[in-house]
Amino acid sequence: MARSIVSTPKAPAAIGTYSQAVRAGDTLYLSGQIGLDPQSGQLVDGIENQIRRVFENLKAVAEAAGGSLADSVKLTVYLTDLAHFARVNEIMSAYFEQPYPARAAVGVAALPRGALIEADAILVLA
């Protein structure tokens, strides 16, 4: 099965040894995104802004592959404080419609660059 790398300047460049996304057949694997502004490379302030920026970054990579967040089948959200989970749900509803993707939420001790949230996704593209 052929693999291809997906990249876009509309999402932050990889800050390590990974790609923004890898497509294998009809499956697109989106790397974890934190709330980095793609233009400045800086983490946006506050949990609400970080949640929105994470979903905007995932959306940009999905669109660069010819898909959208509606193609998501699995989403994993990592939070340094699970008290923010209700806010994630509220903001997520602006980016996803039913049927929602499968999802896991994981509480973690820390994230890169001091981020409060990170999320990755798996999409199936038709």
Side-chain angles (χ1 to χ4, degrees), residues 36-125:
L36 293 178
D37 178 272
Q39 274 67 51
S40 71
Q42 298 300 310
L43 193 64
V44 298
D45 291 329
I47 186 62
E48 289 190 22
N49 290 331
Q50 286 189 32
I51 295 167
R52 290 182 199 290
R53 186 74 257 162
V54 162
F55 288 128
E56 287 295 326
N57 292 343
L58 290 172
K59 178 182 170 187
V61 178
E63 289 174 351
S68 73
L69 291 180
D71 299 311
S72 299
V73 296
K74 177 70 167 84
L75 181 70
T76 305
V77 177
Y78 308 89
L79 292 162
T80 58
D81 185 346
L82 289 173
H84 298 305
F85 188 66
R87 194 69 184 122
V88 171
N89 276 334
E90 183 179 324
I91 294 171
M92 188 177 158
S93 68
Y95 291 91
F96 296 87
E97 295 179 359
Q98 291 186 5
Y100 299 119
R103 183 183 68 189
V106 181
V108 297
L111 291 167
R113 297 204 180 175
L116 303 172
I117 180 173
E118 181 173 357
D120 60 37
I122 300 171
L123 286 65
V124 175
L125 306 175

Side-chain angles (χ1 to χ4, degrees), residues 16-42:
T17 54
Y18 64 92
S19 301
Q20 287 177 331
V22 176
R23 184 172 182 162
D26 290 339
T27 305
L28 181 67
Y29 300 89
L30 299 181
S31 290
Q33 289 285 336
I34 59 175
L36 293 178
D37 178 272
Q39 274 67 51
S40 71
Q42 298 300 310

